[in-house]
Each structure stands twice: as C-alpha cells, then as structure tokens.
Amino acid sequence: MEVLSITGGQRLFGTVRVTGAKNSVLKLMAAALLAQGTTTLTEVPDILDVEIMAELLRRLGCEVDHDGPARRVSITVPEILAHRADYDLVRRMRASICVLGPLLARCGAADVALPGGDNIGSRGLDMHIAGLKKLGAEVTNQHGYLIASTQQRLTGASIWLDFPSVGATETILMAAVTANGVTVIDNAAREPEIVDICQMLINMGASIDGAGTSTLTIEGVEQLEPVAHCTVSDRIVAGTWAVAAAMTQGDVTVLNANPAHLEAALDKLVSAGAQVSHVAGGFRVIMDNRPLAVDVVTLPYPGFPTDLQPQFIALNAIASGAALVTENLFEARFRFVQELARLGADVRTDGHHALVRGRSHLSGAPVEATDIRAGAGLVLAGLVADGITSIYGVSHIDRGYADLVPALRELGAQVERIEAESLFT
Ligand code: EPU
C-alpha cells in the first residue's frame, strides 16, 4: 500500500498543464460503441478508470489500444457486440453504467451490473431507467443486474428529468441518437462534459440541438460513423490547482484549461482574495495573503461544482473568518471532514450544511482519502499544514489526478509516494 507524504509550507509557483476530463472520456469511450469501426480519443488522462473502461469494452468484443503516455485511446468496435457488463468491473468503477444506453441502442439489449452506492452517497439510477422506458425499452432488475431490452428500434419520446442528472442525460442521449423519431430531454444537464459528448456524437453523424442548454432535441439517425475526438479539458483538476495556488499563497498558471468552465469556482477565489487572470490557453491564480472565508453552495452546472466542494472546505479551514458550505448533490460528501479534523480543522456539519471556522494553522497527521475529491481536499490541506501529512487511500486520488506527484513537485511542493510499510521501519 502506498502513502502520499507531504511536508507542508511550500508556496506553489509555476505552470501546470491539465489533460482531458475523466468524467468526459469514460462516456466518450462508451459512445464509441455506437459506431462500427475505429474511434480515436486524444487528451485521455492516464488514470486507472480509463484502463477499467478499456477492459470493459474489450469484454464486449472491442479491440482497445490505450497508450497512457501519449494520452490516446483507439477503440475498434466490431459489427456484433456482447452486451453484458459484469459486476467485477462495475463495482470497481460505477461510471461503467454509461455503457447501458449505447449497448441498448446497438444490440437491443444490455445487462449491466448495478453499481450500488459509494462513499459519497446513494447515487440513484431511477431517471436513467425511466428515460429508457420512455424510449420503449423494458428494464428490469434481476440478480443485481439491470436488464434492458427492446424488440425493435427505440422510439423517440419527450422526457422531463426531475433533476438535471449528468448520468441520466448521457444514458438517454446515447440511447436516443439512433432511435426512431425525435427525443426531447427537458431539464437536461448542461455540464461541459455533456457538450463534449454531444459534439462527438454530432461529428459521428447524430442530430442533436441544444447542447449546453436545458433542452436537448435529438433526431434519431440510422447509423453513426467512428471519429477522432479530443477530450474536453478537466475543469475539476484545473479548479483543484487554482485552489492549491490560493491556499499556498502561490502563483500558478494552469494551461489547457478553460476558465469559462470554472466561472463559479474562480469567482469564489476572487472573493477569497486571489487575483485570477486569463492567459492564452488557460488562467493564472496569484494569492498574496491568507484567504478570506467564502460560502459555497453546490449546484448542477453552471452552479458551483460538487467535485470542488472538499477543496473549498480545505481552503476555508485555513481562511480568515467562517464559511457555510452547502452540499446539494451527494449526501455523504461531508464524511471527509472527520479526516480534515485530524489536521486540526474546525468543521461542524448538520445535514447538508457544513460550518467551517478558519484556523491560522493546520498540523500534519496521517489521514485517509475515501474518494477522489476528498483525497484532493486532504492533499491541499497537507500542502499548508505544519509538518508531515501522510495520506492513505492514494488509489482514490489516482483515479482522478494523473501524475499528481511530479506536477506538485514541479511547482515546488515537498511530496513523495512511499510504501506504507516504510513508515514503520
Ligand atoms: N440521481 C438520482 N437518480 C438518477 C440519477 C441521479 O437520484 O437516476 C441523483 C444522484 O444520486 C445524485 C444526483 O442525482 O444525488 C446527481 O447525480 P448525477 O447523475 O448528476 O451524477 P453522476 O452522473 O452520477 C457525475 C460525475 C460526478 C459528479 C456528478 C455531478 C462521472 C463519472 N461522475 O456523476 O463526479 O460529481 O456528475 O456533477 O461523470 C467525481 O468525479 O468525483 C464525481 C463524483
């Protein structure tokens, strides 16, 4: 088992480059299933989840060539696909559920293991299922699997989502692009990752109107063609670097990042006292003082992203003043504050609110990352805590942050990965 060991106190300074978004590329890989032939994706982050998705696609009958250092994946999709996603892969990565829509569209059937809940909450699938039923599919739950099937081509329908769910929007979109007739998804998610998949599907020959708005209108086409597509940059990784710059009173330029995708978060950093400026291909964050506390309310895009909430709790933990953080998407995302408290943070939670009273110092200690973003929050806290912070559960952080340690070192942080056993010898 590996541990991230961080000696806090260094100001981060320099330039860091962000790659494509994990939360886009996994769906783009699933979308490739919709067209026979070879689809190539670039700016693919070199993370384990991409390898898990590659393995899932191989088991469905695809040839997948994943070149990590070149940030490229090529997927060759055969004419006839298998349609079962097994529990052993789905339990390792719940995003595997995104093969449900494309498999149903391509094969008329999909058996996908139910992912269950995880460390950030219960994570329902009711809107995915209701949407597919509206398109004419039969969907049942048998022995831990979602079994979806249709005797004929899916049929376009009007679907109103109770909540602008990213996953449900993607499932319905990927099922509808080759359905018979027009599908309208109302109250659709508007995230940049949704726009990215719409752009790829349009290039594959799909007819989609309204990408990036709350209403997606999809006119089904007979067939899609494979394409080459460059993954949208990872706004959450970019935002994590921005918070790192602000917390360490540093000066960091983040490249291959789109500040327009991070307006809510960058605006909060300005309120915290940072100078944020746009540069060619990205943005720069400079901070000269201790941050001021900032209230945060998580909401679907373009609201403040839940995936940056732990990082902002970390910022507020060392800020001047007190802040109220409200989490509206994942009920268990505050679990990590218990770990932050081990570093001396003063955070009180009540339901979906957390009151964070800033402390002038945190003090390094061993802590455990329980999910990707909790891990990111703990790394940020470790960068400013006195002494050494040892973060267990590094595999969670690796799922979202490729090459984190070299990038942190390049910016001046004192950080290393060590075998946990060597801590006791
Ligand atoms: N929900 C339902 N029923 C559904 C679908 C969603 O109740 O049918 C609920 C969920 O339980 C949750 C809320 O709606 O409370 C939002 O879920 P959504 O479907 O929007 O999220 P997701 O597709 O499961 C993706 C990202 C998350 C990110 C959210 C919100 C991927 C693989 N995951 O999840 O990313 O937080 O959108 O932006 O794209 C992460 O990267 O750390 C992460 C958790």
Side-chain angles (χ1 to χ4, degrees), residues 222-300:
E222 290 273 337
Q223 188 175 312
L224 298 179
E225 300 299 327
V227 284
H229 182 86
C230 179
T231 316
V232 69
S233 109
D234 197 317
R235 66 195 162 97
I236 304 301
V237 172
T240 303
W241 287 119
V243 181
M247 285 179 68
T248 62
Q249 298 186 29
D251 177 353
V252 175
T253 298
V254 186
L255 294 181
N256 191 36
N258 187 343
H261 292 168
L262 269 173
E263 266 181 41
L266 294 179
D267 202 51
K268 286 287 169 193
L269 288 182
V270 171
S271 302
Q275 296 165 51
V276 178
S277 53
H278 293 193
V279 301
F283 61 86
R284 180 178 178 187
V285 178
I286 305 174
M287 184 72 143
D288 295 323
N289 299 302
R290 181 179 173 197
L292 304 171
V294 282
D295 292 343
V296 163
V297 179
T298 68
L299 285 171

Side-chain angles (χ1 to χ4, degrees), residues 53 91 95 97 122 134 162 167 191 194 201 213 215 241 252 269 331 335 337 378 425:
M53 184 55 91
R91 65 180 278 279
I97 194 75
S122 54
K134 280 235 167 176
D162 292 340
E191 272 70 2
I194 300 279
L201 290 167
T213 75
T215 305
W241 287 119
V252 175
L269 288 182
E331 71 270 15
R335 271 185 205 158
V337 304
L378 292 171
T425 53

Side-chain angles (χ1 to χ4, degrees), residues 23 27 123-127 165-167 307 329-330 373:
N23 286 348
K27 329 303 172 61
R123 316 204 61 178
L125 291 174
D126 50 305
M127 286 183 270
S165 153
V166 171
D307 293 343
L329 279 91
F330 293 116
R373 312 304 169 191

Side-chain angles (χ1 to χ4, degrees), residues 40-53:
T40 302
L41 302 172
T42 48
E43 282 299 339
V44 174
D46 193 8
I47 52 174
L48 182 64
D49 282 13
V50 169
E51 201 32 60
I52 296 176
M53 184 55 91

Side-chain angles (χ1 to χ4, degrees), residues 111-133:
D111 303 357
V112 180
L114 283 159
D118 63 11
N119 286 335
I120 61 173
S122 54
R123 316 204 61 178
L125 291 174
D126 50 305
M127 286 183 270
H128 299 241
I129 296 168
L132 294 181
K133 284 185 173 170

